[in-house]
Amino acid sequence: MANNNNLEESSPLLSKQVSVEEDEKKNLNVNNSTDVAASPAARTGAGFGWTANGLPLVHGSVVGEPMGRSQWDSSLLACLGRNDEFCSSDVEVCLLGSVAPCVLYGSNVERLGSAPGTFANHCLPYSGLYLIGNSFFGWNCLAPWFSYPTRTAIRRKFNLEGTCEALNRSGGCCGSCLEDEVQREQCESACDFATHVFCHACALCQEGRELRRRLPHPGFNAQPVLVMIPPGEQTMGRGD
């Protein structure tokens, strides 16, 4: 009997079976602990934040909590930008926003979208709305309806702070609008529209400065071309 017990204990098949049973128990324990740790919000999809591109993010997901929003590189009224390596670009943006806002708007969308024909597809409709608004109403009241979604797209793409969040941070107001994520995004979109209506040129310039610091122009993404230059003609002289 002792020999049989020793054979059973030293049997490799028995040891493998025991190890398999232990692994199964460990997997069951891990699954049970995961189910217990999962929050009701993660199971139902309720309670979400916004990611950098504006999409809803569940708190119980692998990604985790929504990342904090950053501020704009320059303020809305900083027309000349900042005294840094982009100073000349900021002056150009200010001049375009004052003289040719259609060109600045087309350039902003081109940097943001980087698709062929983006500049013409946005610059020309903007120009038409600009001319109609100034001709019939005396001011540029139609083009902001066409251009304000670009500000919302920039804010979502780079996870920038909106107007309601800035007011709540500086003065403590608009706190009720920030409690619910969906309501906050609706308020921020409405503020983007109001910014383009009442401070249209300043809004375009601020967006232009932000995009030029964050995204290169699509024309700069071309691959370098290697040019092969053949060597010059060589002659062998015969010594006398």
Side-chain angles (χ1 to χ4, degrees), residues 40-133:
R43 296 193 190 101
T44 58
F48 55 86
W50 294 92
T51 57
N53 56 359
L55 298 177
L57 173 66
V58 178
H59 289 283
S61 64
V62 179
V63 181
E65 298 292 333
M67 58 185 299
R69 292 174 175 82
S70 57
Q71 299 182 17
W72 291 75
D73 185 79
S74 57
S75 63
L76 181 65
L77 301 179
C79 298
L80 296 178
R82 295 188 300 149
N83 187 16
D84 55 6
E85 65 271 14
F86 291 92
C87 180
S88 60
S89 178
D90 294 341
V91 175
E92 178 187 357
V93 167
C94 181
L95 293 176
L96 287 177
S98 303
V99 179
C102 58
V103 177
L104 179 58
Y105 172 70
S107 176
N108 292 345
V109 179
E110 186 179 27
R111 285 178 181 267
L112 186 63
S114 300
T118 303
F119 179 84
N121 293 336
H122 288 80
C123 180
L124 295 179
Y126 181 96
S127 301
L129 294 174
Y130 180 86
L131 294 176
I132 294 174

Side-chain angles (χ1 to χ4, degrees), residues 137-160:
F137 302 100
W139 66 293
N140 185 19
C141 59
L142 299 179
W145 292 78
F146 179 71
S147 62
Y148 89 91
T150 304
R151 186 175 186 83
T152 303
I154 295 172
R155 181 173 51 80
R156 290 180 175 180
K157 182 178 180 65
F158 303 114
N159 200 33
L160 297 175

Side-chain angles (χ1 to χ4, degrees), residues 27 31 46 113 115 125 139-140 144 148 157 165 168 187 201:
N27 293 333
N31 294 333
W139 66 293
N140 185 19
Y148 89 91
K157 182 178 180 65
E165 291 178 320
N168 182 64
C187 293

